[in-house]
Amino acid sequence: FHKHCCESGAICQKSAIKYPPSDLPDMPPCNFTPEEYKGLSKERMMEIRKQNCNSMIMKVTYYKKPVFIHQGHMQWIWDVDGTRYLDLFAGVATVSVGHCHPKVRAAAEEQLKKLWHTTNIYVYPALHEYCEKLASYLPDPLKMIYLTNSGSEANDLAMLMARLHTGNYDIITFRGSYHGGSPMTMGLTSNATYKYPVANGLGCTNTMCPDVFRGPWGGSHCRDSPVQTTRECGCAQGQCMANDQYIAQLQETLATSVPSRIAAFFGEPIQGVGGAVQYPKNFLKDTYKLVREKGGVCIADEVQTGFGRTGTHFWGFQGHDVVPDMVTMAKGIGNGFPMGAVVTTKEIAESFAKGIHFNTFGGNPLACAVASSVLDTIKEDGTQQNSLNVGTYMMTELAKLRDKYEIIGDVRGKGLQIGVEMVKDKVSRQPLPAAAMSEIFEDVKDMGVLIGKGGLYGQTFRIKPPMCITMEDADFFLAVFNKSLHNYMEKR
């Protein structure tokens, strides 16, 4: 990309690639100048990563040539060499309003001067101001909040609360779900990659995921998305054969795999790690009814879909026209500050008080000040509306690429929770092999854009950026993605 000048007149952008393709547009301008990096060399960092960081960290390192990140501002990331990237993954859908957002940063700095840490055994303003504010974003009777440090912790607690409240033990989730990596939540997570050969997640049962692209039943107007699948169906308006079939599968799970009374059903409104998988429009509504008939509570995991990311609503569950008994959240809640929450009803909260549970850092003053500022910023910056506008545009344009390339099987999502499922060919819908995914993924990065990967077979590109991205950013990504697909097809 051509270097260009900042408002100050200083040249501050290094090209992300030495010889950009001539048919690629310029990266959108940015008037922020990162600090010059003077830290450890890349070689030294990789040595330490291999010697002192648990071996797991190398397994999750993205890219053959990793990105060495130095600084971030809003939707932009700079590496240690000063190369700028458009961040469309936001540290896995976590940076909600933008890297180092000035308003949120100011709130954190203010709180740092006053009080870093105290706990729930004392009464301090930050916790109460935040809990009242967060509760105002949720419908009745979801008003009781318990703050944690992560989504795994929140889901772990939701499992405990559901079991205590109902007196039942069994919990149902969808195949392909991801609800955390703690010993309890590992059972909720239905993807072999994240499981270990140890006893874990007892009492968790998985049911078929109503995936209308990849599953046995699908259709052409099942989902609440600007883009539908290319699968044909003869359903009359208001009817959904796929929904009926997947509900029948759930009924079979209830009849065969769990006792007659259950504790809970856990569902992400849109699967995150699973690859932005969406269900037929009425599926969650029908599911909630069946689960409640069996004595269970319904839990919405909003770790990735919450805080306006789906665009039409503040919470993903609202798009399904349901009210859960419990909502868990994390990631975007603190724009990258470690925080999570379980929100539930008074009755369920009272069941939890049968014993004592204590969380040292949950709801600490710093986290509450940051999270409170995030809620204000979402409102002031029009973040939810931006998610809807830019996300809808991006999906509509990606659908044109799907029609152009044999290897794009599906484009789906809502707002800025987008999945692009890659296939060997449109007829078989078989996942595009890992090596091909890596090649495209690396190429996109080398042209200056960071995206994510997901899906049961790692076959889905995930686009979940900070919600401050612009139409220009979307156009730039679309050009880069088109170019990388073109490059791959030419080699193939």
Side-chain angles (χ1 to χ4, degrees), residues 14 18 37 44 46 64 82 84 98 149 155 163 170 176 183 192 205 212 217 254 270 274 302 305 340 355 369 419 437:
K14 277 200 188 170
K18 289 197 174 67
Y37 178 73
R44 186 73 195 110
M46 288 313 283
K64 289 192 273 296
R84 179 162 62 107
N149 307 288
N155 284 340
R163 285 167 169 164
D170 291 74
T205 297
V212 294
W217 305 285
L254 290 168
I270 298 172
E302 294 275 354
T305 44
M437 287 294 291

Side-chain angles (χ1 to χ4, degrees), residues 151-162:
S152 291
E153 261 182 46
N155 284 340
D156 215 295
L157 274 184
M159 295 173 79
L160 179 59
M161 288 185 198

Side-chain angles (χ1 to χ4, degrees), residues 51-83:
Q51 286 164 12
N52 301 124
C53 298
N54 188 298
S55 314
M56 181 53 64
I57 203 170
M58 284 310 295
K59 279 192 87 170
V60 298
T61 303
Y62 265 7
Y63 308 114
K64 289 192 273 296
K65 284 188 291 201
V67 178
F68 295 81
I69 289 178
H70 163 48
Q71 194 164 352
H73 172 73
M74 301 305 282
Q75 66 270 48
W76 306 105
I77 284 278
W78 286 264
D79 72 7
V80 296
D81 299 320
T83 302

Side-chain angles (χ1 to χ4, degrees), residues 42-318:
K42 293 190 216 176
E43 295 71 29
R44 186 73 195 110
M45 280 192 270
M46 288 313 283
E47 275 172 20
I48 295 168
R49 204 168 174 85
K50 287 171 179 150
Q51 286 164 12
N52 301 124
C53 298
N54 188 298
S55 314
M56 181 53 64
I57 203 170
M58 284 310 295
K59 279 192 87 170
V60 298
T61 303
Y62 265 7
Y63 308 114
K64 289 192 273 296
K65 284 188 291 201
V67 178
F68 295 81
I69 289 178
H70 163 48
Q71 194 164 352
H73 172 73
M74 301 305 282
Q75 66 270 48
W76 306 105
I77 284 278
W78 286 264
D79 72 7
V80 296
D81 299 320
T83 302
R84 179 162 62 107
Y85 294 91
L86 175 61
D87 181 10
L88 294 190
F89 202 36
V92 193
T94 301
V95 178
S96 44
V97 293
H99 289 282
C100 304
H101 192 295
K103 290 178 200 164
V104 182
R105 185 180 141 183
E109 285 169 355
E110 268 315 294
Q111 189 58 49
L112 274 169
K113 287 181 218 162
K114 278 188 282 200
L115 182 69
W116 289 26
H117 181 73
T118 183
T119 73
N120 286 319
I121 58 177
Y122 306 108
V123 182
Y124 50 96
L127 175 82
H128 302 81
E129 285 163 7
Y130 180 64
C131 284
E132 183 183 42
K133 194 182 283 187
L134 180 60
S136 75
Y137 282 82
L138 287 132
D140 282 322
L142 295 166
K143 298 293 172 187
M144 303 293 273
I145 297 166
Y146 192 96
L147 298 171
T148 67
N149 307 288
S150 72
S152 291
E153 261 182 46
N155 284 340
D156 215 295
L157 274 184
M159 295 173 79
L160 179 59
M161 288 185 198
R163 285 167 169 164
L164 287 169
H165 181 68
T166 60
N168 304 326
Y169 195 72
D170 291 74
I171 299 177
I172 295 176
T173 57
F174 292 138
R175 290 180 197 149
S177 60
Y178 183 87
H179 297 284
S182 67
M184 288 244 294
T185 56
M186 211 185 282
L188 296 180
T189 291
S190 176
N191 181 332
T193 308
Y194 298 101
K195 290 184 177 289
Y196 285 86
V198 295
N200 68 75
L202 300 172
C204 296
T205 297
N206 307 122
T207 191
M208 188 184 275
C209 177
D211 179 344
V212 294
F213 170 69
R214 182 159 207 80
W217 305 285
S220 50
H221 42 255
C222 305
R223 27 180 217 224
D224 175 23
S225 173
V227 181
Q228 296 294 337
T229 72
T230 51
R231 293 179 70 169
E232 284 175 22
C233 70
C235 301
Q237 208 51 48
Q239 300 301 119
C240 181
M241 179 273 299
N243 189 55
D244 299 343
Q245 294 283 9
Y246 290 115
I247 286 294
Q249 287 293 316
L250 174 62
Q251 286 169 318
E252 192 166 308
T253 300
L254 290 168
T256 58
S257 308
V258 291
S260 59
R261 307 294 286 166
I262 64 171
F265 161 76
F266 252 92
E268 302 162 86
I270 298 172
Q271 282 192 346
V273 175
V277 176
Q278 289 180 285
Y279 329 125
K281 287 177 192 136
N282 286 318
F283 189 85
L284 279 191
K285 211 174 202 178
D286 296 347
T287 297
Y288 276 27
K289 189 170 178 289
L290 289 171
V291 168
R292 286 170 174 154
E293 283 166 8
K294 296 282 181 186
V297 295
C298 299
I299 304 168
D301 177 331
E302 294 275 354
V303 169
Q304 292 194 27
T305 44
F307 299 92
R309 183 164 287 282
T310 63
T312 53
H313 300 86
F314 201 80
W315 305 109
F317 69 76
Q318 292 166 315

Side-chain angles (χ1 to χ4, degrees), residues 16 65 120 152 160 166 215-216 286 336 339 347 390 396 426 455 471-473:
K65 284 188 291 201
N120 286 319
S152 291
L160 179 59
T166 60
D286 296 347
M339 191 173 190
E347 294 70 38
V390 181
T396 312
K426 285 182 165 66
M471 291 291 190
E472 292 74 24
D473 299 333

Side-chain angles (χ1 to χ4, degrees), residues 352-366:
F352 183 44
K354 285 173 185 167
I356 285 192
H357 183 278
F358 187 69
N359 189 317
T360 301
F361 296 113
N364 69 77
L366 200 49

